């Protein structure tokens, strides 16, 4: 850890990823794209996501390069708890475009 700031702790991401994968049966490539993106959340959970209106700690974002070729994209939402530096996954889902 170069900066001296401890990384964020991720919670519930594997469970939500597994539930999404079981329901959607994505390709192996798409699984890798989503999992690689999830692993970046411990570095900067604010990168590439936006706050969900009405919920001050709920953040949502489209996972880059997750288009499936059928007009769908994978999104993820999660709660950020600043005090404990915890990021808790709410949902991994495949949605139809446009968002």
């Amino acid at each position: 850890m170069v900066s001296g700031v401890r990384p964020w702790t991720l919670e519930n991401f594997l469970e939500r990823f597994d539930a999404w994968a079981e329901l959607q049966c994505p390709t192996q490539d798409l699984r890798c794209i989503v999992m690689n993106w999830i692993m970046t959340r411990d570095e900067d959970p604010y990168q590439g996501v936006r706050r969900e209106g009405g919920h001050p700690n709920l953040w949502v974002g489209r996972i880059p390069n997750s288009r499936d070729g059928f007009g769908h994209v994978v999104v993820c939402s999660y709660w950020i708890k600043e005090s404990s530096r915890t990021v808790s996954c709410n949902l991994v889902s495949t949605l139809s475009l446009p968002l």
Side-chain angles (χ1 to χ4, degrees), residues 62 66-75 94-99:
R62 174 180 167 174
S66 67
R67 281 188 162 191
D68 66 0
F70 300 102
H72 304 101
V73 66
V74 181
V75 298
T94 302
L95 299 179
S96 296
L97 292 172
L99 293 181

Side-chain angles (χ1 to χ4, degrees), residues 52-99:
E52 186 63 32
H55 301 282
N57 297 327
L58 183 61
W59 295 75
V60 63
R62 174 180 167 174
I63 298 176
N65 304 312
S66 67
R67 281 188 162 191
D68 66 0
F70 300 102
H72 304 101
V73 66
V74 181
V75 298
C76 183
S77 65
Y78 48 81
W79 300 94
I80 296 178
K81 301 170 193 161
E82 289 274 343
S83 60
S84 62
R85 292 190 58 83
T86 302
V87 183
S88 183
C89 188
N90 180 57
L91 182 68
V92 176
S93 185
T94 302
L95 299 179
S96 296
L97 292 172
L99 293 181

Side-chain angles (χ1 to χ4, degrees), residues 19-66:
W20 164 77
E22 185 175 322
L23 180 67
Q24 297 296 317
C25 300
T27 65
Q28 189 61 35
D29 287 344
L30 187 53
R31 289 173 193 246
C32 288
I33 288 167
V34 172
M35 184 54 69
N36 287 337
W37 181 86
I38 286 171
M39 300 312 294
T40 67
R41 300 300 89 191
D42 71 344
E43 298 165 14
D44 182 1
Y46 299 103
Q47 182 182 21
V49 295
R50 62 177 169 73
R51 190 181 306 249
E52 186 63 32
H55 301 282
N57 297 327
L58 183 61
W59 295 75
V60 63
R62 174 180 167 174
I63 298 176
N65 304 312
S66 67

